[in-house]
Amino acid sequence: MDTITTKLSSEEIFNLMKQFITEVIGEEFVEEMDITPESSFTKDLEMDSIEIVSFSEKIKAHFGEQIDFTGWLSSMDLDQLINLNLGMIISYIEECQS
Amino acid sequence: MPIITVNGKSVHIQELNKEAAETIILVHGMFSNLSVYYFNIAPLLATKYHVVLYDLKSHGMSEKALMGYDLESMTNDLFALMEALNLQQVHLGGYSFGGLIALKMAIRFPKRINKLAIIEAPDPNDDKTRGIIDEYSREFLEHYVENFTDTTKVKMGKRQMERNHRMYEYLFYQTSIKTDMELEKDFFGSPAIETIKQSTLLLYGTDSNCLNAGKHLDGIIENASLIALPGDHNIPIQQPLVIAEALLNFFQEI
C-alpha cells in the first residue's frame, strides 16, 4: 500500500486522477478525450460502475485511511453519482488533506 | 484490486470491515457486477458486518469461463470462494440471478448459510426471463438500454455500449449460459425449495414483473417474509438505501 502523507496541490491531485483514469480505461481512449476538472465520470469519460469501482480502489490504495472515499460516495444518490466530476473529487481530497 | 484464485480461476472480490464478527456475502445478477452493491448497499451493511462482494465468472473483472452457468456450478463457485476466504457460516443475499444462486446455496449447504435475503429473483420458468436470453440481438440490447435508462437514469455512451455488447455476445454465443439456464426452468417447482428453513427475506418491487415470483417463494418457503417496495426489477439501483436499510434490519433481527 503506497500510502502518502504529503499534501498534494490541486494540480497534483488532478494529474494523479488522470493517471488512475488512464490505468482504468486504457490509454487509447484517454488520448481521444480532453480530460478537465469539469469532466463527469459517466457522461464525459463514459466510465461504467465497475470502472468507477476500480478507480475508487486506486484512490483508496493511494491515500489509505487518509480519506474515506467509498464512504463519501455512499452518501450520494444516483443523480449525484451520475453528475460526479473530477473537480468534486479533487475538492474532497483537498478537504481531507487540510 | 483484490483478485484471488478460486479453483484455478481469477475472481474479483471486494471486502469491507473484515474485523466484524459476522459475514454477509452479496451475489449480483446476470450481465451485472459487484458495483450494484459497492457504492451504497455494502457500505451501510459494513457498519455492522464483514461484507464480501464478488464478480461472477465472465462478469465484472472476474475471469471468463465457457461453461458452468447452471445453479449447481454457480454454487460450487460460491462454496469454493467461502472455503478460500475461510468463511464457515455467512448470511447470504442475492439479486436477480444472484437470488437464484443464493436459494440454491441454502438448499445445498444449509449449515453454511445463516439468513437469506432474496432480491428480485425471477422464476426461471417465466417467459419474460427466458425471453431475455432467447431474443437477444444488438437491437434488443439498444432497446433494453433505452428502457433501462428510463428507470435508472444512467445513459450508456458508445464505448460502454460496445463493452456491454461484447459481454453479451460472449455470454450468449460462446458460453453455455443459454442451455444452462434452460435446464433450470423447473427450479421454482422443485421440492428442494421447500426444504429451505433459513429465515428468508424476499424484497421485490411493487411494479416488477418478478413480483409474482416473490409471492410464490413466500408461499413455499416456511420462514419467509415478503416486502414489496416501490420500484421495478431495478430497485437496488433505484432505491439502494431503502434496500440497504431493509437488509440491515433483517440481518440484525434476533
Side-chain angles (χ1 to χ4, degrees):
Chain A
M1 185 93 54
D2 50 349
T3 306
I4 58 127
T5 48
T6 49
K7 195 174 165 181
L8 299 179
S9 69
S10 75
E11 195 184 341
E12 285 169 323
I13 299 171
F14 175 63
N15 288 330
L16 190 64
M17 298 300 108
K18 275 211 293 197
Q19 179 199 319
F20 291 163
I21 291 164
T22 308
E23 287 168 10
V24 171
I25 69 175
E27 211 157 325
E28 70 271 33
F29 295 110
V30 171
E31 277 171 4
E32 296 170 6
M33 292 173 182
D34 179 23
I35 300 179
T36 71
E38 284 74 42
S39 300
S40 76
F41 281 81
T42 52
K43 284 183 200 146
D44 301 323
L45 303 179
E46 290 193 16
M47 285 169 76
D48 70 6
S49 47
I50 196 72
E51 290 171 331
I52 300 174
V53 170
S54 295
F55 176 79
S56 306
E57 288 298 304
K58 286 181 184 294
I59 291 185
K60 280 159 70 177
H62 190 89
F63 290 96
E65 290 178 0
Q66 208 181 348
I67 68 162
D68 177 16
F69 191 65
T70 323
W72 180 64
L73 289 178
S74 72
S75 66
M76 295 184 188
D77 63 25
L78 191 61
D79 285 329
Q80 288 170 312
L81 271 177
I82 290 166
N83 293 318
L84 183 68
N85 69 28
L86 267 177
M88 290 157 74
I89 295 178
I90 293 166
S91 305
Y92 172 68
I93 294 172
E94 279 188 311
E95 267 174 44
C96 293
Q97 290 188 136
S98 60
Chain B
M1 192 60 56
I3 303 278
I4 62 168
T5 304
V6 181
N7 283 348
K9 289 273 184 188
S10 301
V11 180
H12 171 220
I13 63 162
Q14 292 286 339
E15 286 186 90
L16 292 83
N17 191 12
K18 283 188 199 178
E19 293 75 29
E22 294 178 55
T23 299
I24 300 171
I25 301 182
L26 298 172
V27 191
H28 69 77
M30 204 182 278
F31 313 122
S32 177
N33 55 60
L34 59 75
S35 69
V36 72
Y37 300 117
Y38 180 88
F39 295 107
N40 299 102
I41 296 172
L44 187 71
L45 296 177
T47 58
K48 304 280 179 194
Y49 295 92
H50 169 215
V51 179
V52 177
L53 313 176
Y54 73 108
D55 281 333
L56 300 173
K57 64 178 81 166
S58 305
H59 291 73
M61 287 180 281
S62 286
E63 190 172 337
K64 287 181 177 176
L66 288 169
M67 287 182 292
Y69 295 90
D70 56 286
L71 295 176
E72 184 93 4
S73 303
M74 298 308 283
T75 47
N76 285 343
D77 291 349
L78 179 48
F79 184 81
L81 177 69
M82 284 177 67
E83 292 290 282
L85 297 176
N86 201 19
L87 298 168
Q88 284 310 304
Q89 195 184 47
V90 298
H91 301 299
L92 186 60
Y95 168 46
S96 196
F97 179 52
L100 300 180
I101 296 170
L103 288 165
K104 188 77 172 184
M105 280 299 282
I107 293 167
R108 292 187 65 202
F109 309 106
K111 290 184 179 155
R112 304 292 292 267
I113 307 301
N114 194 339
K115 289 187 176 184
L116 193 60
I118 306 299
I119 308 163
E120 281 288 323
D123 181 348
N125 199 28
D126 186 289
D127 287 344
K128 290 186 211 80
T129 311
R130 283 186 291 121
I132 290 173
I133 294 170
D134 292 340
E135 292 166 19
Y136 174 70
S137 67
R138 188 182 178 88
E139 287 70 24
F140 165 74
L141 174 61
E142 284 165 3
H143 175 69
Y144 172 80
V145 168
E146 283 302 315
N147 287 331
F148 181 76
T149 54
D150 284 347
T151 51
T152 62
K153 301 177 192 170
V154 182
K155 199 83 184 164
M156 256 189 231
K158 191 161 165 265
R159 187 175 68 84
Q160 286 315 325
M161 187 71 91
E162 291 299 324
R163 252 166 68 88
N164 275 282
H165 184 62
R166 278 199 299 276
M167 178 183 69
Y168 281 70
E169 288 269 315
Y170 176 75
L171 280 168
F172 278 112
Y173 298 122
Q174 293 181 47
T175 76
S176 61
I177 200 164
K178 275 170 74 169
T179 44
D180 288 350
M181 277 295 92
E182 276 158 23
L183 293 172
E184 301 292 352
K185 67 179 169 42
D186 296 327
F187 182 51
F188 274 23
S190 72
I193 297 248
E194 295 175 34
T195 66
I196 294 175
K197 299 291 180 226
Q198 282 87 350
S199 176
T200 303
L201 175 67
L202 304 164
L203 291 175
Y204 282 77
T206 49
D207 300 324
S208 167
N209 53 19
C210 295
L211 180 58
N212 281 338
K215 289 177 180 169
H216 175 74
L217 292 174
D218 192 31
I220 57 173
I221 297 175
E222 196 179 314
N223 296 314
S225 57
L226 171 68
I227 299 179
L229 299 163
D232 58 28
H233 188 63
N234 292 309
I235 40 171
I237 301 151
Q238 293 158 345
Q239 308 239 41
L241 289 177
V242 175
I243 293 288
E245 279 163 16
L247 292 174
L248 189 60
N249 289 338
F250 168 67
F251 289 129
Q252 286 189 297
E253 276 168 15
I254 297 166

